[in-house]
Amino acid sequence: MESQQVVHNRTNSVTKQLKIKKQKQKWDLKRTWQLHVLVIPALVLGLIFQYGPMFGIIMAFQDFKPWLGITGSQWVGLEHFRTMFEYDYARQVIWNTIVISVLKIIFGLIVPITVALLLNEMYKMVIKRTVQTIIYLPYFLSWVILGGILLDLLSPDGGLVNQVIGFFGFDPIFFLGSNDWFRTTVIISDLWKETGFNTIVFLAAITAVNPSLYEAAVVDGANRWKQTLYITIPAMLPIIIVVGTLSLGNILNAGFDQIFNLYNPLVYQTGDIIDTYVYRVSLVSGDFSYGTAVGLFKSVISLVLIIIGYRFAYKYANWRIF
């Protein structure tokens, strides 16, 4: 009887808590309904421009003809996906995307972390802020502008970089027209643009370190290198893990804006990525179904990698969005 009474009391307690929670939610909704109304325009735009176009995914499973429309085109099932994996050039495009993306992720972590650690060692705030501003400025420029700048700087015919190379007695290098140099150029130019922003992220993590840890290290006789190795880097480790794991979702996203503004037919072998390939196949050549199939393949893999990245970020850095 006593156990039944205990269960009954607990049930009543849970029921009361649920009623109180529902009443509180209703009260909160009455007080904040204006904020919910403000969300409606963004929700409508999202449904129209983000979820509405998803209906076009059907084209990946059809032999789509614009004059027949989606409802009238012939259904071919997984034919385009089989073609994608049987086509040698499609596999080369996927490989190019993975190589460029992985290199961007690796150097996109190493370089900003190194720059952040070096900036942290500067005592002159004027110099520190000046350097930080200089490396941050390219982040605000679009790849259309930076692409034009790079075309002029790297031109084999009078470009500043090749003038310097020629000054030391070497032959000019066609950076944007050579398969041997294009990927390197893409990685370095991406670091040039993105390092400033990522550096600020890691600097913010460094400023959160408790100064008393450094004071205790100095008392124990630790020099600046040991302080960095045993205090600063471990304190940065959670944000490094978060940034690194969240980058997994970009393995199949090598940067359409950058590649599109820098590549040309001479470097398709090493520089053509999934996004540029889909653009040429679908919008330029008119093979909408095949282009949709390749894009859908990329989106599904990216979604899986993003989910894995979030799980790793939560498991190893206790970070989550929702």
Side-chain angles (χ1 to χ4, degrees), residues 6 18 25 131 134 137 141 179 231 247 273 291:
V6 170
L18 290 174
Q25 289 175 346
V131 173
I134 291 174
L137 281 176
L141 301 178
N179 285 305
I231 299 177
S247 298
I273 61 174

Side-chain angles (χ1 to χ4, degrees), residues 249-264:
N250 293 321
I251 285 182
L252 293 183
N253 183 19
F256 173 80
D257 293 345
Q258 180 190 17
I259 302 295
F260 183 75
N261 284 282
L262 295 179
Y263 85 149
N264 57 77

Side-chain angles (χ1 to χ4, degrees), residues 81 84-85 94 252 292-302:
F81 294 94
M84 178 179 65
F85 289 106
I94 295 173
L252 293 183
T292 304
V294 177
L296 180 59
F297 166 77
K298 174 202 165 184
S299 299
V300 171
I301 299 300
S302 297

